[in-house]
Amino acid sequence: MKFGGTSMAGIERIRLVAERVKLEVDAGHQVAVVVSAMAGETDRLVNFCREASPLYDRREYDVVVASGEQVTSGLLAIALQAIGVPARSWLGWQLPINTDTAYGAARIEGIDTQALNAALATGQVAVIPGFQGVAEGRVSTLGRGGSDTSAVAVAAAMKADRCDIYTDVDGVYTTDPRIVPRARKLRRVSYEEMLELASVGAKVLQTRSVGLAMKEGVRVRVLSSFVPGGDDSGTLIVSEEELDMERQLITGIAHDKNEAKITLTAVPDKPGAVATIFTPLAEAGINVDMIVQNIAHSTGSTDVTFTVPAADLARSLDVLAKAQGAIGYEAVKHDTRVAKITVVGVGMRSHAGVAATMFKTLGARGINIQAITTSEIKVSVLIDEDETELAVRVLHTAYGLDAEG
């Protein structure tokens, strides 16, 4: 069981979490719980580090920011003991959860579950702080949102039957219910679909945790901390083999406004020209998403358009400015008022016309498409940011995703 920051935001909510855990214990299950810091606490700790020094030591940064989860794990163990449930906290170094030395964004290399399994066998609940591990004898953290990854990793290591991730939503929906009130909650989603949805704007689960669940075959259930429910509540994320044979063509529609569009004009149209653009960006650790190379001009040049995360725009422009001599472009233009709209569904593999429906629907509403990218189970388009909500609503209807009634 994993509980996020909103579930752990204060003693009263921690008591509610303890009651939730007790229900599972009373049902005869062995339970390990992974907890996040209280909502807003990690941001507060990060700001302390930045105020102390903008050029902080990442190892000491990890010592500071890992303390939020240490507090909530201890408090939950106390709350469980208070209602008669044997429990103890296990910090990242006590299990241990071994990671590499990329402090601040470490990756889990292995978890020793011997002591954990022995404690569970005695009926004790293990409470584990998420987001942290140990590297070369020092505290390490997994990067923001890392508690989901911690939970899946622990579930995989202990060969758990299921990893339940409790959050402030009661499952995965066909799209954001705040935009489309008739969005439907999905009973089951495949790992691949959830991976695509998480990577293109759906904020229910961290992308890394979904990728790890798919790799390790961990069945993950997303459900609400605040809505009572049985074993069939929430959304189950499983392998494609566990999905219904006859299922919806499109599973969901995601949107992401955290994109920036860059266009380089008059790039020499010759072999290797594109490599001179994207190699320095890759070396700077900037992830490029959509790429469009326009038809060559009569002058022997072409325009190249691509997108990067909005947070990386300034760094991207700096890298491109320094590489202008090698690339040979004439000018660089950028636009942050764009949004990426993505339709996702494993049904695309066996059905034609998904992209055509998307383009036809957007065209009928006068929504201009600036760039397109596809994979086996998704189609993404870049549009004007002001048309995001309209695009999501009309596509939701076009693919028959609206709930009845």
Side-chain angles (χ1 to χ4, degrees), residues 329-344:
Y329 65 84
E330 187 176 280
V332 58
K333 303 174 184 176
H334 66 273
D335 184 4
T336 57
R337 295 196 55 75
V338 294
K340 180 168 66 175
I341 310 295
T342 304
V343 297
V344 175

Side-chain angles (χ1 to χ4, degrees), residues 68-129:
E69 283 77 8
Q70 182 169 321
V71 170
T72 49
S73 59
L75 289 174
L76 180 56
I78 292 170
L80 285 165
Q81 292 165 4
I83 57 174
V85 178
R88 70 154 283 188
S89 61
W90 293 85
L91 302 189
W93 59 268
Q94 290 174 310
L95 279 173
I97 297 172
N98 295 303
T99 75
D100 62 19
T101 55
Y103 294 97
R107 302 190 79 84
I108 296 173
E109 294 184 334
I111 301 176
D112 187 340
T113 59
Q114 187 175 346
L116 176 64
N117 290 334
L120 293 175
T122 67
Q124 189 180 77
V125 171
V127 186
I128 303 164

Side-chain angles (χ1 to χ4, degrees), residues 110-153:
I111 301 176
D112 187 340
T113 59
Q114 187 175 346
L116 176 64
N117 290 334
L120 293 175
T122 67
Q124 189 180 77
V125 171
V127 186
I128 303 164
F131 175 60
Q132 67 168 245
V134 60
E136 296 182 338
R138 300 198 61 151
V139 173
S140 58
T141 66
L142 310 181
R144 298 307 297 269
S147 291
D148 284 351
T149 303
S150 296
V152 172

Side-chain angles (χ1 to χ4, degrees), residues 235-248:
T235 299
L236 200 59
I237 301 162
V238 293
S239 65
E240 205 173 315
E241 290 72 35
E242 285 195 61
L243 298 177
D244 304 326
M245 291 301 291
E246 291 298 325
R247 62 194 307 273
Q248 197 80 34

